[in-house]
């Protein structure tokens, strides 16, 4: 059975196994450990809002093909932001951080993922139920317009630039504060 003919539920089960996420994907864990830059472990609380967003996010990995390493997470962050996280505030926050990481490490890949997202849809806002999980991966990919080319347009570049500024602002503020602190200590 190819991934395209698997249901989202079947493919998600394999995805959990392949990535060693546990039987429930870690949804019941109190904390989630991520490695920043592949080395720095950071724990974040696994809030109900995060779990609600991650249920869709995991399915998005299946239909987009983006990996679960830091690069893939940054790509899917750009794609989810561009395709609209709707009312999932946790997705907006987490994806903004993911995009910032990707802008530092692979800006071209982030732009391509952004353009892909602007020309497709995602699963946020849909009922998360047996009907959704029973859909085939390939059919879902087609339904979301992920099976079509996505040529970049000027509006894609403008919206990417705006969101890039939003996602990088917290890091620029921290760098500015560190610079001010160092200048204060030295001067």
């Amino acid at each position: 059975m190819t991934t395209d003919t698997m249901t989202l539920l079947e493919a998600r089960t394999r995805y959990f196994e392949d990535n060693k996420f546990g039987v429930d994907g870690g949804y019941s864990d109190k904390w989630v450990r991520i490695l920043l830059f592949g080395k720095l472990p950071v724990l974040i609380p696994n809030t109900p809002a995060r779990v609600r967003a991650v249920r869709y996010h995991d399915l998005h990995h299946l239909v987009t093909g983006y990996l679960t390493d830091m690069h893939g997470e940054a790509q899917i962050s750009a794609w989810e932001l561009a395709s609209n996280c709707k009312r999932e505030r946790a997705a907006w926050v987490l994806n903004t951080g993911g995009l910032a990481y990707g802008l530092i490490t692979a800006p071209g890949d982030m732009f391509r993922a952004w353009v892909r997202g602007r020309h497709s849809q995602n699963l946020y806002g849909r009922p998360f139920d047996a009907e959704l999980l029973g859909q085939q991966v390939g059919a879902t990919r087609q339904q979301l317009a992920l099976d079509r080319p996505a040529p970049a347009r000027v509006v894609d570049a403008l919206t990417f630039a705006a969101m890039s500024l939003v996602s990088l602002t917290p890091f620029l503020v921290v760098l500015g504060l560190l610079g001010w602190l160092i200048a204060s200590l030295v001067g």
Side-chain angles (χ1 to χ4, degrees):
M1 180 182 302
T2 69
T3 303
D4 276 354
T5 59
M6 295 174 82
T7 66
L8 289 171
L9 179 60
E10 292 166 336
R12 188 186 69 173
T13 299
R14 179 187 287 176
Y15 164 84
F16 287 166
E17 291 169 2
D18 291 348
N19 289 286
K20 298 176 178 49
F21 289 160
V23 175
D24 76 342
Y27 299 159
S28 62
D29 295 348
K30 296 231 182 261
W31 295 90
V32 177
R33 182 176 175 256
I34 59 170
L35 293 175
L36 290 182
F37 302 103
K39 296 180 173 118
L40 179 65
V42 176
L43 289 176
I44 60 172
N46 199 21
T47 64
R50 182 193 174 278
V51 171
R52 189 175 55 249
V54 169
R55 292 182 311 168
Y56 293 100
H57 176 87
D58 288 339
L59 298 180
H60 290 155
H61 275 287
L62 301 173
V63 296
T64 63
Y66 294 129
L67 302 177
T68 58
D69 60 7
M70 285 302 294
H71 182 77
E73 291 296 346
Q75 287 176 297
I76 204 164
S77 292
W79 178 81
E80 285 189 353
L81 288 167
S83 60
N84 192 347
C85 299
K86 300 189 181 57
R87 294 176 182 233
E88 296 296 339
R89 284 183 246 153
W92 285 105
V93 170
L94 294 168
N95 286 330
T96 300
L99 176 60
Y101 170 84
L103 289 168
I104 294 166
T105 60
D109 288 347
M110 296 312 104
F111 180 67
R112 283 184 285 283
W114 180 268
V115 170
R116 188 180 187 204
R118 294 258 312 147
H119 295 267
S120 60
Q121 299 172 35
N122 64 47
L123 299 170
Y124 289 124
R126 297 185 186 195
F128 193 90
D129 56 17
E131 183 178 340
L132 174 64
L133 293 174
Q135 291 181 197
Q136 288 186 331
V137 172
T140 305
R141 192 175 287 125
Q142 288 177 340
Q143 185 182 79
L144 299 177
L146 286 164
D147 60 336
R148 300 174 201 137
R153 298 179 306 205
V154 172
V155 69
D156 299 329
L158 293 173
T159 56
F160 178 72
M163 189 51 128
S164 296
L165 182 60
V166 167
S167 70
L168 288 172
T169 296
F171 297 99
L172 296 173
V173 168
V174 169
L175 285 176
L177 290 173
L178 285 174
W180 173 81
L181 179 62
I182 290 169
S184 298
L185 293 173
V186 173

